[in-house]
């Protein structure tokens, strides 16, 4: 399954919102009713960390300013008010089918 | 606190072999599938291999099938990746990742990574 993210990069003023799109080549809706779409953030020089699981569920400790939405093949990660610590590369990932595949990444920078 | 500590990365010549290890702590290792994910310099993330909680089932990306072998020792809380016939395109940071459940789930915790460089 091919995951396509847009935009490639984003420059955001602190306090302003940001939005990243992720599209999959096949529906990520399983017949168990779950949608297997995830979001990760890789801060500079660090390993990836899980932000969102199953489209819209924030992982433990993830701030409320991060939210996920979407269905089927179209998904969005939103940051309501970008902070300096949010810089890095954001990846979407699917796990409805092995191998898990990642989007190409969206680099978020602060203006 | 979940901790995953990779080791074993090194500079190796093309055609060489290397074994990576990942020491896990902070969770019941034997209850979870584990995976290796790699990231070539300046590139995105690529799932490489996964192994079930018992070690009885293993999975590989087509790009490494027949070249890499994943294994685990639940008595030592350690995950391994045996790599052979290494090529320049295997150069990457290799991350150990804990699967949330079975192999076909998502990765909820990642190690800090270990760098493998294949070059003469």
């Amino acid at each position: 399954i091919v995951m396509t993210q847009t935009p490639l990069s984003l420059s955001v003023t602190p306090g302003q919102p940001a939005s990243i799109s992720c599209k999959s080549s096949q529906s990520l809706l399983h017949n168990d009713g779950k949608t297997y779409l995830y979001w990760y953030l890789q801060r500079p020089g660090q390993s990836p960390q899980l932000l969102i699981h199953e489209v819209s569920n924030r992982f433990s400790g993830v701030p409320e300013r991060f939210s996920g939405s979407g269905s089927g093949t179209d998904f969005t990660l939103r940051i309501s008010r970008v902070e300096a610590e949010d810089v890095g590369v954001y990846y979407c990932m699917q796990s409805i089918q092995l191998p898990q595949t990642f989007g190409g990444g969206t680099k978020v920078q602060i203006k | 606190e979940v901790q995953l500590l990779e080791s074993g990365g090194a500079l190796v010549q093309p055609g060489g072999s290397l074994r990576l290890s990942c020491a896990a702590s902070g969770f019941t290792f034997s209850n979870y599938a584990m995976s290796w994910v790699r990231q070539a310099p300046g590139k995105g993330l690529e799932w490489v291999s996964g192994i079930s909680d018992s070690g009885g089932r293993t999975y590989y990306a087509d790009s490494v099938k027949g070249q890499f072998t994943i294994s685990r020792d639940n008595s030592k809380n350690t995950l391994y990746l045996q790599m052979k016939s290494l090529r320049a395109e295997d150069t990457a940071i290799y991350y150990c990742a804990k699967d949330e459940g079975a192999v076909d789930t998502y990765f909820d915790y990642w190690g800090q990574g270990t760098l493998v460089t294949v070059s003469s």
Side-chain angles (χ1 to χ4, degrees):
Chain A
I1 295 177
V2 177
M3 306 296 288
T4 303
Q5 285 181 238
T6 55
L8 238 55
S9 66
L10 208 47
S11 187
V12 188
T13 301
Q16 292 301 300
S19 181
I20 299 170
S21 171
C22 175
K23 295 184 190 298
S24 57
S25 60
Q26 297 175 217
S27 176
L28 302 185
L29 173 62
H30 195 273
N31 55 23
D32 65 6
K34 292 183 182 178
T35 301
Y36 290 86
L37 186 280
Y38 308 87
W39 290 98
Y40 293 89
L41 164 61
Q42 186 173 31
R43 293 190 172 107
Q46 294 187 18
S47 56
Q49 61 184 92
L50 177 65
L51 292 176
I52 302 281
H53 60 96
E54 284 103 27
V55 180
S56 58
N57 300 287
R58 277 186 303 277
F59 188 54
S60 174
V62 174
E64 289 185 3
R65 64 180 181 275
F66 290 94
S67 65
S69 63
S71 62
T73 61
D74 289 351
F75 305 94
T76 302
L77 175 71
R78 290 187 176 87
I79 310 173
S80 59
R81 289 174 301 279
V82 171
E83 297 187 6
E85 66 176 19
D86 301 336
V87 300
V89 181
Y90 290 76
Y91 295 95
C92 60
M93 186 197 85
Q94 67 79 23
S95 74
I96 195 170
Q97 180 184 116
L98 283 179
Q100 291 99 329
T101 48
F102 297 86
T106 296
K107 187 173 186 177
V108 172
Q109 298 171 296
I110 296 293
K111 277 186 185 173
Chain B
E1 180 194 2
V2 172
Q3 290 196 338
L4 300 169
L5 188 61
E6 302 95 334
S7 60
L11 171 62
V12 61
Q13 291 193 337
S17 299
L18 209 54
R19 188 176 85 154
L20 306 182
S21 299
C22 171
S25 61
F27 64 102
T28 305
F29 183 70
S30 58
N31 285 356
Y32 294 91
M34 297 290 295
S35 293
W36 289 98
V37 179
R38 69 183 178 184
Q39 186 171 36
K43 301 295 185 184
L45 301 166
E46 179 191 18
W47 173 83
V48 170
S49 182
I51 187 167
S52 63
D53 53 1
S54 67
R57 287 173 288 132
T58 57
Y59 305 83
Y60 300 94
D62 286 345
S63 57
V64 305
K65 208 169 287 184
Q67 184 192 2
F68 290 3
T69 303
I70 191 171
S71 62
R72 64 191 296 163
D73 185 336
N74 285 347
S75 68
K76 294 183 178 178
N77 290 350
T78 303
L79 175 72
Y80 303 100
L81 186 67
Q82 179 69 49
M83 305 185 292
K84 66 179 184 180
S85 305
L86 285 162
R87 308 179 281 248
E89 52 265 39
D90 297 315
T91 294
I93 296 173
Y94 285 74
Y95 295 103
C96 160
K98 172 185 169 292
D99 289 56
E100 183 273 342
V103 169
D104 57 353
T105 57
Y106 59 97
F107 316 119
D108 52 3
Y109 294 95
W110 300 60
Q112 88 292 342
T114 188
L115 178 61
V116 172
T117 303
V118 183
S119 174
S120 55

